[in-house]
Structure formats: structure tokens, C-alpha cells
């Protein structure tokens, strides 16, 4: 059974930083592209970032490029999202997911972690 558990969400002020983590199990993590998606209150699911199975390819949504960094550790079956220069519009539930497209992420996302950016 695929299990994906995100953690690290918190309340942070605008301009601050957070590091989200994702623990994966139940599949061959090192063979899998992975990604982060988020859902703001009352809004649909939005793609944030994707990383290839070996970590060599990284994609970012325009809204987070230059502020967020995705990474993974295939020896520990974990993935991370370093979020800097946070903005109020980054407030959302963040999910880690398996695959390389939003269609795959809708179905594969696991337990989310809440990020609130506010004064």
C-alpha cells in the first residue's frame, strides 16, 4: 500500500521559511518521480513542484520558482520542500504525491500538512 505522509507545516510570518518533509513507503521510491501539490481554502488543487526519480530534474510552478526548492533522499525514502520568502498566498494544505503529472497527483497524494502564512 502506497503511503505518503507530509509534515513540517506551521504558522509563519510573510518572508519567513519552512521546510516540509514527506515520508514514503509501500512502493519503490527510488524509481518514482515525486511532487508537491497544494490546496488553498476554497480553491482547487494546484501543482507546486516535481522531481525526477534520481533528483536530476526539477520543475517548479511559476508562482514558487526561485523561492522553493525540492529535494529527495533515496536512501531514506524521503522528499523535502524548502520554502523561503513565504507569501500570504502560499497558505494552503500541502501534499506530497507520486508521479509526474497533476492527474497522477490527484489520485496519489497522501496525508497533507497545513502551511499558514500570516502576520
Amino acid at each position: 500500500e502506497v503511503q505518503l505522509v507530509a509534515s513540517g507545516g506551521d504558522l509563519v510570518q510573510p518572508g519567513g521559511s519552512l521546510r516540509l518533509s514527506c515520508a514514503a513507503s509501500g512502493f519503490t521510491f527510488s524509481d518514482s518521480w515525486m511532487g508537491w501539490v497544494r490546496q488553498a481554502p476554497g480553491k482547487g488543487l494546484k501543482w507546486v513542484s516535481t522531481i525526477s526519480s534520481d533528483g536530476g530534474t526539477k520543475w517548479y510552478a511559476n508562482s514558487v520558482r526561485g523561492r522553493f526548492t525540492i529535494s529527495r533522499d533515496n536512501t531514506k525514502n524521503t522528499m523535502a520542500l524548502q520554502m523561503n520568502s513565504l507569501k500570504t498566498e502560499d497558505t494552503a494544505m500541502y501534499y506530497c504525491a507520486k508521479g509526474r503529472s497533476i492527474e497522477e497527483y490527484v489520485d496519489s497524494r497522501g496525508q497533507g500538512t497545513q502551511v499558514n502564512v500570516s502576520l
Side-chain angles (χ1 to χ4, degrees):
E1 177 189 2
V2 172
Q3 287 199 332
L4 297 166
V5 180
S7 62
D10 205 345
L11 172 63
V12 63
Q13 292 186 351
S17 297
L18 278 177
R19 185 176 179 85
L20 304 185
S21 296
C22 174
S25 62
F27 63 102
T28 306
F29 183 77
S30 58
D31 288 344
S32 302
W33 285 58
M34 299 291 296
W36 290 94
V37 292
R38 66 186 182 186
Q39 188 165 24
K43 302 288 183 65
L45 198 65
K46 297 290 187 183
W47 170 67
V48 174
S49 184
T50 296
I51 188 168
S52 61
S53 55
D54 65 358
T57 299
K58 302 176 183 181
W59 301 329
Y60 297 96
N62 289 338
S63 59
V64 307
R65 186 175 294 112
R67 300 187 297 121
F68 290 11
T69 302
I70 192 171
S71 62
R72 66 189 296 161
D73 185 340
N74 285 347
T75 67
K76 297 180 180 178
N77 285 7
T78 60
M79 179 176 65
L81 185 69
Q82 177 66 41
M83 306 188 297
N84 299 329
S85 302
L86 282 161
K87 304 176 181 180
T88 54
E89 52 262 44
D90 294 319
T91 294
M93 183 71 78
Y94 284 71
Y95 302 90
C96 57
K98 178 177 176 288
R100 66 173 78 184
S101 70
I102 187 67
E103 291 79 13
E104 293 178 271
Y105 296 157
V106 167
D107 291 333
S108 68
R109 60 186 165 134
Q111 176 184 318
T113 188
Q114 181 68 40
V115 172
N116 290 311
V117 184
S118 178
L119 291 171

